[in-house]
Structures are given as structure tokens and as C-alpha cells.
Amino acid sequence: LLCSLIGMAQAAPVGNEPDELESFISNSLVISEISHLSQQVGQQASTLVVNAMGYLGVPYRRGGTTVSGFDCSGFVRAMYENTLGLVLPHNARAQAQTTQTIDPAELQPGDLVFFNTLNRAFSHVGIYLGNNEFIHAPSAGYKVRVENMDMNYWKTRFNGARRVLENEPA
């Protein structure tokens, strides 16, 4: 049926205004593709979040990128590489520079959230979980944990939100 509809749309006379059937088919295909991509991204984000949650309790280790210990950017890097095969830099500032800036209102699970914790922008990073919560490797003496971004400490240090795109440079 779709092939015959496309054939009819192609056979329609070309005028200044697009044929309604052709517009409908084009929009339906676009909507279908967007829906498919949205589901795929949603599944990847869910997998990333579930994977990250599996590391709750792993100790902080400066420069760490493995289950024996993570620093904040090492944790983010490991989760993206192990879950999605995407390699991010091992530095919070570099991760901010190589990802797409988004409005905090657009945050979705799997996005990155950045904070100024060392008197410099983008000195700390975590993975957004949804519901204004994020998972991260905090600092020496602590373990990977979930925090609420509404806490005054995080709210006053928030630097912005970023989205990792599959074609981001490593």
C-alpha cells in the first residue's frame, strides 16, 4: 500500500504547492523515523543509567577509570564507553567542551551535568538520572552515589547541562 501511495504521490502533477498526499507521506515517514530514533535513544539512555547504577558504592579514586575506583570524569567516561562504545575525554572540562550544550529544562536521563566544585567552571561532572537526580563519583573518601540537584550545594555550583552525541570527537 505504501509503495502505491508513494507511486501516486510521484505521479501527481508538480505545482507551486506540495501535493497533500505527498506531504502526508513525507511527514508520516519523518515522524516514523523520529519516533524510531527517539525510542533508540531512550533505550540507550536507559541502558546507560542502569549500568551506572550498578556501580553505586565504588570508591572514589583520583584518576580512576575502573571498578577499583573512579574520579568523576573517569566514571562518566567508563559508563559511556562500556555501555555505548563512545569514548569521552578523561577530564570534566574536556567532556564539557566536546558535548552539546542543552538547556537544563531539556535534561534527559544519560545527559551530563556539570558543576563548579574547585572554584573553576566544569570541574565536576555526573550523569543525569531524571527527577533532578544525578549519579557521580564525588571526591576522596566517598563512593559513587546519587545526589539531588536541588540540594543547595549542587544548585549553587551548577554550571550547565550537556548531551553526548554519537558523533562527538573523542
Side-chain angles (χ1 to χ4, degrees):
L1 176 64
L2 183 58
C3 290
S4 58
L5 287 174
I6 291 171
M8 287 178 7
Q10 290 172 342
V14 179
N16 291 339
E17 302 207 28
D19 180 77
E20 285 183 42
L21 181 57
E22 186 176 14
S23 294
F24 173 76
I25 292 169
S26 296
N27 290 339
S28 293
L29 293 175
V30 169
I31 290 168
S32 173
E33 185 61 24
I34 289 170
S35 176
H36 172 72
L37 290 173
S38 176
Q39 288 172 353
Q40 185 178 0
V41 168
Q43 288 170 347
Q44 288 177 338
S46 294
T47 303
L48 178 74
V49 166
V50 168
N51 187 38
M53 295 296 283
Y55 290 88
L56 285 169
V58 171
Y60 177 90
R61 191 181 81 185
R62 185 170 185 212
T65 60
T66 68
V67 72
S68 65
F70 293 106
D71 64 9
C72 66
S73 59
F75 177 69
V76 168
R77 177 186 168 110
M79 296 307 102
Y80 268 88
E81 186 172 3
N82 295 342
T83 307
L84 305 176
L86 301 175
V87 180
L88 298 175
H90 184 184
N91 174 286
R93 179 180 287 288
Q95 288 176 354
Q97 292 171 341
T98 60
T99 53
Q100 178 186 14
T101 302
I102 60 171
D103 186 290
E106 297 174 12
L107 272 168
Q108 297 175 5
D111 287 337
L112 303 183
V113 286
F114 291 87
F115 304 89
N116 176 342
T117 59
L118 299 173
N119 291 320
R120 66 178 191 270
F122 308 110
S123 54
H124 189 72
V125 63
I127 299 171
Y128 187 71
L129 300 175
N131 233 16
N132 234 22
E133 294 183 326
F134 70 104
I135 187 169
H136 67 129
S139 60
Y142 295 96
K143 298 176 180 182
V144 171
R145 66 185 186 196
V146 173
E147 303 265 8
N148 191 307
M149 292 172 55
D150 286 329
M151 289 176 51
N152 194 48
Y153 180 85
W154 296 114
K155 190 183 281 191
T156 60
R157 288 167 175 79
F158 182 72
N159 274 142
R162 303 284 192 274
R163 183 158 295 146
V164 178
L165 303 175
E166 286 199 39
N167 59 352
E168 294 293 348

